[in-house]
Amino acid sequence: MIDDSSRVLLIYTGGTIGMVENPETGFLESFNFEHLNSHIPELQRFRFQVDHIVFDPVIDSSNIRPEHWQKMVRTIEDNYEDYDGFVILHGTDTMAYTASALSFMIENLSKPVVLTGSQLPIGKLRTDAKENLITALEIAADKDLIGLPIVPEVCIFFQNYLIRGNRASKINADNFNAFRSFNYPYLAKSGVHIWYDKKAILPVNNEKKTRFHYHLDSRIVVLRLFPGIDQTTVEAILNIDGIKAVVLETYGSGNAPLTTWFLDAIRDAVKRGVIIVNVTQCEIGSVDMQRYETGLELLKAGVISGFDSTAEAAIAKLMFLIGHSYEKEDIKVRMRVPLVGEITRPEERINERI
Ligand code: ASP
């Protein structure tokens, strides 16, 4: 139910969605966002209010940095009381990272923050921008029967699906269905109506206030295993000066080679205080280091499970926890607990299957 008094703030950060093709050069260029209405006249048909803020300069999302996430959170904090929901227009390339980071940076969110973008610029005839933007705005304004926002989460709306932000992966560089949630149900699906899966949506804790966090530490590295990975490379990565954490992308249910030099390098890094989080290279399923000897050795070496986390969410969560100077052991505990629905613990997965 969208009431006429709803107010949504549209935050344009950049990306293909806000571009038009220069007829002379054929290059994509950012268009003047003040002319949004002329590109999407449908916006005037909304009965609720949509205001907008444009980042200056706008950025291709490949250039996104933690400073931009801080700016997005600051914009939301500054306007939190005045709006019922927020839509962030963002390039698709790093949208899953941004959505993950924002989900941790805004604690106890009570209003929708919907990220969207498009594969074709808004000025193109066949653009997917219109449908994505219009539905994202509706979701941001939508309320239940007692007037509370339906989706008080950081999420991504893309081609008919609403995805929890920290569960999203970009899976397609060409097609309109560019995002997928492999390990968690969609929060909503749009068709003739918008169907919300209310059981899948995080509840708001009304006892707690919304808090905005800004500290992030990016001294993290991703180490993706492949058969034949070189000893010197692995050792060099694990010994990078000042490194705080490693997201180790393993095989299958969290398995890695049993080679002595490899396990020694892992043990040595853990002893030096480096936090190593195991995420699987598989899109679907979870790390379970007790299934094979090749996983068990990692567990014994002190590697912690990332369960069914996306790599994007594991990176953002580590940046957030390390940035907030939690004790190392505390970070390890928090990595194993869902803070904002980013992982499914094994006992919940079993319940799910039953
Ligand atoms: N390179 C663009 C970006 O991520 C692609 C897009 O918007 O889809 O900003």
Side-chain angles (χ1 to χ4, degrees):
M1 203 179 62
I2 303 179
D3 72 59
D4 298 0
S5 63
S6 287
R7 299 183 74 198
V8 175
L9 183 62
L10 183 61
I11 304 165
Y12 176 53
T13 68
T16 301
I17 191 163
M19 293 182 164
V20 283
E21 204 173 75
N22 180 322
E24 275 153 36
T25 62
F27 287 136
L28 293 179
E29 293 172 355
S30 298
F31 79 95
N32 185 342
F33 212 75
E34 306 304 321
H35 301 148
L36 185 67
N37 281 331
S38 64
H39 286 274
I40 312 190
E42 291 87 343
L43 289 179
Q44 279 154 357
R45 292 173 51 196
F46 281 134
R47 302 233 300 273
F48 59 91
Q49 188 178 330
V50 181
D51 297 330
H52 68 262
I53 286 182
V54 182
F55 270 29
D56 182 17
V58 290
I59 30 167
D60 182 304
S61 80
S62 305
N63 289 319
I64 281 278
R65 297 190 43 80
E67 300 86 272
H68 299 112
W69 296 338
Q70 287 155 346
K71 189 167 162 185
M72 287 176 214
V73 174
R74 174 67 60 206
T75 308
I76 293 171
E77 179 171 15
D78 288 349
N79 292 283
Y80 200 68
E81 295 312 321
D82 297 332
Y83 290 92
D84 297 287
F86 300 84
V87 171
I88 301 180
L89 295 181
H90 192 289
T92 57
D93 289 346
T94 59
M95 194 185 287
Y97 290 91
T98 296
S100 297
L102 264 45
S103 75
F104 299 113
M105 294 168 76
I106 312 177
E107 185 184 341
N108 203 38
L109 179 64
S110 59
K111 299 179 180 187
V113 174
V114 189
L115 285 95
T116 195
S118 67
Q119 294 282 61
L120 278 180
I122 224 157
K124 284 268 195 189
L125 208 52
R126 289 179 50 249
T127 186
D128 50 332
K130 274 189 191 185
E131 146 71 12
N132 286 348
L133 173 55
I134 289 170
T135 310
L137 286 167
E138 286 206 6
I139 291 169
D142 221 351
K143 298 195 183 140
D144 64 16
L145 291 175
I146 55 167
L148 295 172
I150 299 183
V151 194
E153 290 207 29
V154 176
C155 40
I156 291 182
F157 179 77
F158 222 89
Q159 230 233 347
N160 300 340
Y161 290 98
L162 186 70
I163 302 174
R164 175 168 296 157
N166 55 39
R167 293 287 192 157
S169 308
K170 182 173 179 183
I171 50 118
N172 206 314
D174 297 326
N175 289 355
F176 289 160
N177 63 342
F179 288 88
R180 186 87 45 94
S181 173
F182 289 104
N183 286 319
Y184 194 76
Y186 292 103
L187 304 183
K189 187 173 177 338
S190 75
V192 174
H193 302 285
I194 300 172
W195 290 278
Y196 294 97
D197 180 352
K198 295 205 173 139
K199 290 190 307 306
I201 297 170
L202 285 173
V204 177
N205 183 344
N206 289 316
E207 316 275 280
K208 286 192 179 166
K209 276 184 66 177
T210 304
R211 291 181 61 207
F212 300 85
H213 300 278
Y214 293 91
H215 298 296
L216 296 165
D217 191 325
S218 38
R219 285 174 291 174
I220 292 162
V221 76
V222 178
L223 174 54
R224 185 178 172 91
L225 299 181
F226 59 89
I229 192 166
D230 182 60
Q231 177 172 1
T232 325
T233 312
V234 171
E235 287 173 356
I237 289 174
L238 294 177
N239 281 291
I240 294 172
D241 200 22
I243 208 75
K244 299 278 179 194
V246 177
V247 173
L248 184 66
E249 292 195 0
T250 57
Y251 309 126
S253 56
N255 305 314
L258 289 174
T259 335
T260 313
W261 66 258
F262 178 77
L263 291 170
D264 284 346
I266 296 281
R267 273 186 218 109
D268 182 56
V270 172
K271 265 195 212 115
R272 280 184 281 112
V274 178
I275 299 163
I276 307 188
V277 180
N278 187 345
V279 299
T280 171
Q281 293 178 17
C282 295
E283 277 143 351
I284 303 174
S286 184
V287 165
D288 175 359
M289 288 187 277
Q290 310 211 39
R291 199 133 115 206
Y292 296 94
E293 193 191 0
T294 42
L296 194 59
E297 288 305 319
L298 289 181
L299 187 66
K300 286 194 205 150
V303 171
I304 58 171
S305 179
F307 299 109
D308 59 348
S309 180
T310 61
E312 291 90 330
I315 294 165
K317 189 171 175 180
L318 284 165
M319 286 172 84
F320 170 77
L321 292 174
I322 298 169
H324 284 78
S325 312
Y326 289 110
E327 291 296 322
K328 219 154 269 162
E329 288 314 309
D330 200 7
I331 294 178
K332 290 184 182 175
V333 170
R334 283 168 200 261
M335 285 305 292
R336 295 194 202 99
V337 176
L339 300 184
V340 268
E342 72 284 2
I343 50 170
T344 316
R345 298 260 325 167
E347 54 283 8
E348 290 162 34
R349 290 181 68 83
I350 290 162
N351 288 343
E352 229 172 60
R353 274 189 230 129
I354 293 169

